[in-house]
Amino acid sequence: LFGLLKVELDGQMRLDLLELFGVVGSIDPHRLKLTSSAVTVADTVMQSLEVVESDQHLNPQSDNVHFITFTSLLAILQDPALGDLHMSCTQCITFIIREMVGPDAQLVLSRYLPVIFKIIDSLDPSLSNGGNLLEFYFQQLVAIVQSTGVFCKPYIVDLITLAGLKFAPNHTSSLAIITLLESIVNVLKADALTYMPVMVGMLRGLHEHILHHSGTSSQALVRLMSAITAMAPLLGSYADSTVEMIIKHIQRLNVNDSQSLKNNTLTALMSVFYSNGTLDCFPLVYRTLEVKRDIFEKDAYLDCVHFIRSLDPTKTDHTWHNVDRIVSKLASMHIHDYGGSGGGNQQSS
């Protein structure tokens, strides 16, 4: 069923699949391991229907399968005895939320997120499979934040607090948490400025882990650079130290690293300069890029060097080629839309 839901495009068929998810999750005697000494299938069905009918918070209409299915799945998710079903229920609820808009999504989030927060809070990444479970649940939160946008704003403080409490750079969940922070910034834009100290702290934690553990996957660095690019307009006093972080990773890049990774790193570097104006680290940037120029694609390297030189107040010749094109590229990433973040873009244009 889950496989069908991923690929099915017909609206009515998706509704039928969601309804079937709720029914199967409620009454399947094999999955729930019902025995003669446990509740009967009929009892389980009746309990599920009673929950739906008595839920005055959601006030579902009789033909609204989203609400009915969600309430049934939420009841399973809140039952510790059905822990082996929780991941499947969570995935299905994420699909339901992604199909909801407006007040409907707000109502479901108000019931669902506190339950997920409680589950995540109970997980210990140092225990067996704890890190994998944390990664899974944070990935679901990423999908929810990305799909609901402004409707998740009332829960941002709880999301960031939980991310900070569970963040451990050496665990698999750390990349999902960094992606969650990036998604939150994309939703809040300038309003995320309040949370920069906490977010930058987690970025630095991942940065240090990558530096001191050579076996760390390149995906970790990709996620770090992507998050820096998203947060660039809000870095403020953290901009210089963030450039130093990027430079340390550029120094570690080699010819065998993927071009995508190298280009993402250069984009993060340009984004910080673009959004924060004149910084104090131009000489360090020039030296590092010059030493590493042979590992980059020529055009990407020249774009980065010329763009950064165009912002350098010590350089009087600003006739570098393609600077306007680079500015347009960075602007297309919505870096300049956050407001109140410095203003390197005025100088470069």
Side-chain angles (χ1 to χ4, degrees), residues 5 52 204 244 343:
L5 187 60
V52 174
R204 286 177 176 169
E244 292 174 4

Side-chain angles (χ1 to χ4, degrees), residues 31 54 58 86 101 104 169 181 194-195 215 236 244 257 262 293 328 347:
R31 294 295 299 272
S54 63
L58 291 178
H86 287 179
V101 293
D104 288 351
L181 299 183
T194 305
Y195 310 108
E244 292 174 4
D257 289 315
K262 297 170 189 175
R293 65 181 303 164
S328 298
Q347 186 176 1

Side-chain angles (χ1 to χ4, degrees), residues 22-170:
V23 173
V24 172
S26 298
I27 68 173
D28 185 347
H30 175 70
R31 294 295 299 272
L32 300 186
K33 300 177 181 177
L34 297 176
T35 64
S36 57
S37 61
V39 295
T40 65
V41 174
D43 289 337
T44 305
V45 174
M46 292 305 298
Q47 289 172 9
S48 178
L49 292 175
E50 288 171 4
V51 169
V52 174
E53 292 172 356
S54 63
D55 195 334
Q56 298 302 314
H57 293 89
L58 291 178
N59 191 26
Q61 300 175 356
S62 59
D63 61 344
N64 195 327
V65 69
H66 287 89
F67 284 122
I68 296 174
T69 305
F70 166 75
T71 307
S72 179
L73 292 170
L74 188 64
I76 298 172
L77 199 58
Q78 291 176 295
D79 189 344
L82 304 178
D84 59 332
L85 296 176
H86 287 179
M87 291 180 70
S88 297
C89 286
T90 301
Q91 286 179 307
C92 187
I93 291 176
T94 299
F95 269 98
I96 293 174
I97 292 175
R98 289 170 68 175
E99 295 202 358
M100 288 183 165
V101 293
D104 288 351
Q106 207 165 11
L107 282 170
V108 169
L109 288 177
S110 68
R111 296 292 311 282
Y112 177 59
L113 287 182
V115 175
I116 290 298
F117 292 161
K118 185 176 180 180
I119 291 175
I120 293 176
D121 190 49
S122 69
L123 295 174
D124 185 348
S126 64
L127 299 179
S128 176
N129 206 37
N132 292 333
L133 288 173
L134 275 176
E135 180 181 25
F136 167 78
Y137 283 110
F138 275 113
Q139 286 172 343
Q140 300 306 303
L141 290 178
V142 168
I144 290 172
V145 170
Q146 291 176 345
S147 61
T148 59
V150 295
F151 292 107
C152 69
K153 279 189 174 182
Y155 311 98
I156 293 298
V157 173
D158 291 331
L159 284 167
I160 294 176
T161 301
L162 196 59
L165 289 173
K166 295 299 180 180
F167 182 74
N170 59 320

Side-chain angles (χ1 to χ4, degrees), residues 238-306:
Y238 300 109
D240 276 299
S241 60
T242 302
V243 169
E244 292 174 4
M245 281 198 308
I246 298 171
I247 289 300
K248 287 182 180 179
H249 290 294
I250 291 178
Q251 291 169 344
R252 290 164 55 90
L253 291 175
N254 60 66
V255 69
N256 294 322
D257 289 315
S258 69
Q259 287 300 332
S260 175
L261 172 58
K262 297 170 189 175
N263 291 342
N264 284 343
T265 306
L266 293 180
T267 299
L269 183 63
M270 289 191 291
S271 298
V272 177
F273 275 97
Y274 173 76
S275 300
N276 294 278
T278 302
L279 303 178
D280 298 327
C281 46
F282 285 100
L284 174 63
V285 172
Y286 295 145
R287 289 195 302 271
T288 303
L289 291 177
E290 178 62 29
V291 170
K292 289 290 186 176
R293 65 181 303 164
D294 291 338
I295 72 169
F296 295 107
E297 291 179 338
K298 182 179 179 180
D299 289 343
Y301 169 81
L302 290 176
D303 281 352
C304 184
V305 172
H306 291 170

